[in-house]
Amino acid sequence: MPGATSSQSPPPRIRVERPDPAVDGGRYPVKRTAADVLDVSADVFRDGHDTLRAVARFRPEGTGAWRESPLRPIDAHEDGVRWAGTIELDATLGLWEWQVLAWVDRFATWRHEIDRKHAAGQEDLTGELSEGVLILRDAAANAEGAARARILEAADALDGPGATPQVALDPDLAAILAAHPDRAEQATGETLGIQVDPELARFGSWYELFPRSWGGLKGAAEQVPRLAELGFDVLYFPPIHPIGLKNRKGRNNSLTAGADDPGSPYAIGSADGDHTAVHPELGTIEDVDHLVSVLDEHGMKLALDFAIQCSADHPWLTEHPEWFNRRPDGTLKYAENPPKKYQDIYNVDFACEDWRGLWQALLDVVRFWIDHGVRVFRVDNPHTKPLPFWEWMLAEVRRTDPDVVFLAEAFTRRRVMQALAKVGYQQSYTYFTWKNASWELREYFTELAHSGEQEYFRPNAFVNTPDILPEYLQHGGAHAFPVRAILAATLSPSWGVYSGFENLEHTAVKAHSEEYLDSEKYEAHERRLDGELLPLIGTLNRARRDNVALQHLGDLRFLDTHNEALVAYVKRRGDNVVITVVNVDPEHPQEGLVEIPHDLGLPGSYTVTDLLSVERFDWHQGGNYVRLVPGERAGHVLRVDTR
């Protein structure tokens, strides 16, 4: 026996395998939010026939004592070895760790042996009872007070004359021993991680606006009470920093800017400052502080755009020229995403020799805004920056400010989006923007909810963005907008609206383009919260807040409608059940039968309330007739009232 000595114990015989949930075998933590309940499981087994016990142990990373939650065998009736249970997290944010601890229950093993032999009529159990005496005396060391006294009393009874198996079979004694286990032979599984984030990382409603179209930062602050009344949780701004003059873009992305053209806010940096400065035309850093305080008063958060790019006038180009990649002829290459060109923007060089200094400077930018009360960052094009940088930076922020939320604006390859989530992003934009048919929605959201992706990837379904005016909205007419709003607000726990959506803005700059005509990226508009779709948006946000089922994704289940133009699904959280049916055809009435399966656990018949219209309907297991007419009713959001 290599490395063994007479004083060493043999290797543990218990095996703990396949713990779940685990992301990439435990390389990355699973994600949950404060006070969540995490379902866990693992294979626990041992050679022989000894009785096993197991618990899930968990704690915030770096703290002392483990907390424990019991696991139970779930397939023993099939001679299986799977154990499962739950971990109840508290409000402590940051990284947690958990593992499975299993041991041989010596008393239960011995008691089972006594019971079988006694039932078989074996009379002489003297040797077996003597073993029980030792087991009970060892177990007494783990107990105190009355429990200890009761265990020792049982040991004495077995050790005396006339001892009988009945002492061992006493169910009260078994309960005491179960509560004070002897873990002499035990084994632990691998330690896995849990990233515990604030609730806003999982559930929230976002509203995006350009402050320059609302009277600057002070004007935006004036909109907060109304936005809060509409049920929004996050007010999101594109970059608010000074804008460069060189190569400034004109209206509709033209290469020549007029004297009054403000330029794209993504061309960051000028003589007025860098990523830590506020554009003078928008206000001051004090105005940011005031806005944050107003948002706090109304239960909202400010999200700022973190765009790692610079205009030709950014101070870093002169202060740190080594952070930029130049061609052999000395020129800088502007940013491109063909067919899009950004002649007013230069990217930093993550492969430069001073990459550590660059990384630290970018972290300092984020910390600057955190110090001014910003708790949410929407990150522009994170998929074009190194994953190791994000893993480092997000961990650094989480170490000191675990309540900060990062949203990845990553419309890119699925694996890259998943990788960004694994390294720490709390949320991500999604492909929802281009999923319009019922089969596409079913396929995509089934993946998000049930493929394993739900353990680490949290979707945020924006109905539109300043960069994306989907063709569905361009060509679907006014009736397309409520369809997309209902879908986004009920399918995804987090959703977002860019201002103009509520006004049904749908004109593209040209055919086959997703760019808005007269895009706010290149000019200021005169905006007001007066769009005709705002009442529906407010109603949806209230329904989301009032129904916990709509605040989660994992319980999503699609329902058959017998009509491909109708998409139906149910979400359930405890006793809260919400059934949504939407007509994805914005031009024609559609009808069908929404099938409620028996295994959904609903009564044979029940009433539902439409959270959009407050109408009540009688529903039942089996097929329920639905007719949805564009312009009259885009969909139903039905809360089940009776169970």
Side-chain angles (χ1 to χ4, degrees):
M1 297 177 61
T5 68
S6 59
S7 62
Q8 289 179 325
S9 300
R13 296 164 65 178
I14 301 172
R15 306 301 293 262
V16 178
E17 298 180 352
R18 298 198 306 131
D20 185 73
V23 179
D24 288 2
R27 167 68 176 84
Y28 303 101
V30 299
K31 290 191 176 76
R32 292 299 185 272
T33 54
D36 265 353
V37 174
L38 175 68
D39 294 325
V40 297
S41 61
D43 288 348
V44 179
F45 60 96
R46 180 187 186 276
D47 59 280
H49 301 285
D50 293 76
T51 300
L52 301 182
R53 298 284 184 258
V55 295
R57 306 202 302 174
F58 56 101
R59 63 186 177 186
E61 190 177 60
T63 61
W66 291 94
R67 310 173 198 180
E68 292 186 353
S69 181
L71 300 180
R72 67 190 187 283
I74 58 173
D75 58 1
H77 60 288
E78 299 174 347
D79 203 24
V81 297
R82 197 71 180 167
W83 292 60
T86 58
I87 290 174
E88 294 187 5
L89 303 166
D90 61 26
T92 305
L93 302 180
L95 284 175
W96 289 53
E97 53 189 359
W98 75 279
Q99 60 182 206
V100 172
L101 170 67
W103 65 92
V104 172
D105 188 330
R106 295 171 63 206
F107 177 77
T109 301
W110 171 76
R111 185 175 184 269
H112 181 59
E113 178 186 358
I114 292 291
D115 186 31
R116 291 174 61 197
K117 290 182 177 181
H118 180 65
Q122 184 173 335
E123 296 182 359
D124 184 8
L125 298 175
T126 305
E128 287 82 354
L129 295 180
S130 67
E131 291 175 336
V133 173
L134 295 178
I135 291 173
L136 288 170
R137 296 197 190 283
D138 287 344
N142 300 313
E144 297 178 351
R148 175 181 171 84
R150 178 68 183 84
I151 296 172
L152 290 175
E153 177 187 347
D156 292 340
L158 287 179
D159 200 20
T164 68
Q166 298 305 323
V167 174
L169 301 179
D170 181 358
D172 292 336
L173 178 64
I176 292 173
L177 268 296
H180 301 84
D182 173 14
R183 300 180 179 181
E185 181 187 337
Q186 63 181 28
T188 56
E190 60 184 299
T191 301
L192 302 172
I194 312 168
Q195 181 178 316
V196 180
D197 297 315
E199 183 184 51
L200 188 61
R202 168 178 47 80
F203 169 71
S205 303
W206 293 48
Y207 188 83
E208 178 181 1
L209 62 80
F210 284 74
R212 66 190 184 190
S213 295
W214 299 78
L217 296 173
K218 291 181 178 177
E222 294 173 358
Q223 311 306 317
V224 171
R226 175 62 174 145
L227 290 170
E229 181 184 342
L230 288 166
F232 286 104
D233 305 289
V234 178
L235 175 59
Y236 157 50
F237 292 163
I240 60 172
H241 317 300
I243 298 172
L245 292 173
K246 186 176 181 180
N247 299 334
R248 174 173 285 191
K249 291 294 188 72
R251 297 189 176 195
N252 291 312
N253 200 23
S254 65
L255 295 178
T256 303
D260 296 328
D261 288 337
S264 167
Y266 287 91
I268 298 170
S270 76
D272 292 315
D274 57 18
H275 282 73
T276 60
V278 177
H279 197 303
E281 294 180 5
L282 298 180
T284 65
I285 191 65
E286 289 76 20
D287 292 327
V288 174
D289 296 338
H290 172 69
L291 173 61
V292 169
S293 68
V294 173
L295 288 164
D296 285 343
E297 290 172 8
H298 290 82
M300 295 180 64
K301 299 296 182 185
L302 175 62
L304 287 187
D305 207 312
F306 182 40
I308 303 178
Q309 55 205 36
C310 302
S311 77
D313 301 317
H314 196 290
W316 285 359
L317 271 81
T318 54
E319 296 171 359
H320 296 282
E322 69 278 10
W323 290 353
F324 298 86
N325 188 11
R326 297 182 180 273
R327 294 187 178 95
D329 64 1
T331 60
L332 284 168
K333 182 179 180 181
Y334 59 75
E336 293 184 81
N337 183 19
K340 297 180 180 180
K341 297 182 178 181
Y342 306 98
Q343 294 89 342
D344 54 343
I345 293 172
Y346 298 110
N347 291 321
V348 298
D349 180 12
F350 279 93
C352 68
E353 290 188 9
D354 186 31
W355 60 269
R356 290 183 178 86
L358 174 61
W359 284 25
Q360 186 62 50
L362 294 170
L363 175 60
D364 290 344
V365 168
V366 171
R367 290 208 185 282
F368 174 86
W369 292 110
I370 289 175
D371 290 343
H372 283 276
V374 178
R375 316 315 289 178
V376 186
F377 293 89
R378 177 269 198 188
V379 180
D380 191 65
N381 288 326
H383 54 286
T384 62
K385 285 77 178 175
L387 285 166
F389 164 71
W390 291 125
E391 188 163 15
W392 170 81
M393 197 199 79
L394 295 174
E396 285 294 301
V397 172
R398 189 170 55 245
R399 180 174 55 82
T400 56
D401 299 274
D403 63 318
V404 173
V405 174
F406 286 84
L407 167 64
E409 188 249 3
F411 297 112
T412 184
R413 290 165 292 174
R414 182 176 267 102
R415 288 298 297 274
V416 177
M417 294 169 70
Q418 294 169 344
L420 287 165
K422 290 175 183 178
V423 301
Y425 272 90
Q426 286 89 351
Q427 290 187 8
S428 178
Y429 281 49
T430 69
Y431 301 141
F432 167 76
T433 318
W434 301 281
K435 302 296 184 182
N436 302 305
S438 60
W439 70 267
E440 293 175 307
L441 293 164
R442 289 194 301 268
E443 179 184 70
Y444 185 47
F445 277 89
T446 297
E447 173 194 323
L448 292 175
H450 301 298
S451 68
E453 214 169 310
Q454 72 277 7
E455 301 295 354
Y456 62 90
F457 185 96
R458 298 193 188 104
N460 193 326
F462 267 73
V463 289
N464 66 328
T465 79
D467 297 303
I468 302 173
L469 172 61
E471 289 192 1
Y472 187 89
L473 298 181
Q474 292 181 36
H475 307 302
H479 303 327
F481 286 75
V483 170
R484 298 302 288 175
I486 296 171
L487 289 170
T490 57
L491 277 170
S492 178
S494 293
W495 78 303
V497 174
Y498 158 55
S499 61
F501 178 85
E502 68 266 26
N503 298 103
L504 311 183
E505 293 181 2
H506 64 280
T507 305
V509 67
K510 60 183 179 181
H512 308 299
S513 171
E514 291 185 331
E515 290 278 353
Y516 283 87
L517 177 66
D518 301 326
S519 170
E520 249 183 310
K521 290 190 295 182
Y522 308 106
E523 61 183 271
H525 292 184
E526 291 187 10
R527 294 285 199 190
R528 291 187 300 275
L529 281 172
D530 59 1
E532 64 182 86
L533 215 59
L534 288 178
L536 172 62
I537 291 172
T539 299
L540 286 168
N541 282 338
R542 283 191 295 275
R544 286 160 50 81
R545 288 190 176 181
D546 293 343
N547 292 271
V548 67
L550 297 177
Q551 300 171 17
H552 296 264
L553 183 63
D555 297 319
L556 172 68
R557 179 172 177 177
F558 284 94
L559 305 172
D560 192 8
T561 63
H562 304 277
N563 183 341
E564 273 299 301
L566 297 178
V567 60
Y569 43 93
V570 59
K571 284 188 170 185
R572 181 175 194 161
R573 200 75 176 176
D575 292 334
N576 185 226
V577 183
V578 178
I579 302 166
T580 302
V581 191
V582 181
N583 176 8
V584 297
D585 178 356
E587 298 179 353
H588 305 99
Q590 298 289 342
E591 58 187 20
L593 293 177
V594 178
E595 294 286 345
I596 303 298
H598 296 277
D599 63 359
L600 198 57
L602 294 177
S605 60
Y606 48 91
T607 60
V608 295
T609 297
D610 192 330
L611 300 176
L612 303 182
S613 66
V614 201
E615 296 172 276
R616 301 191 75 191
F617 304 97
D618 293 325
W619 273 48
H620 54 266
Q621 291 182 6
N624 297 268
Y625 177 76
V626 170
R627 176 177 169 83
L628 298 173
V629 180
E632 297 179 11
R633 194 195 303 267
H636 291 292
V637 181
L638 306 171
R639 183 193 64 225
V640 175
D641 294 330
T642 58
R643 296 290 312 281

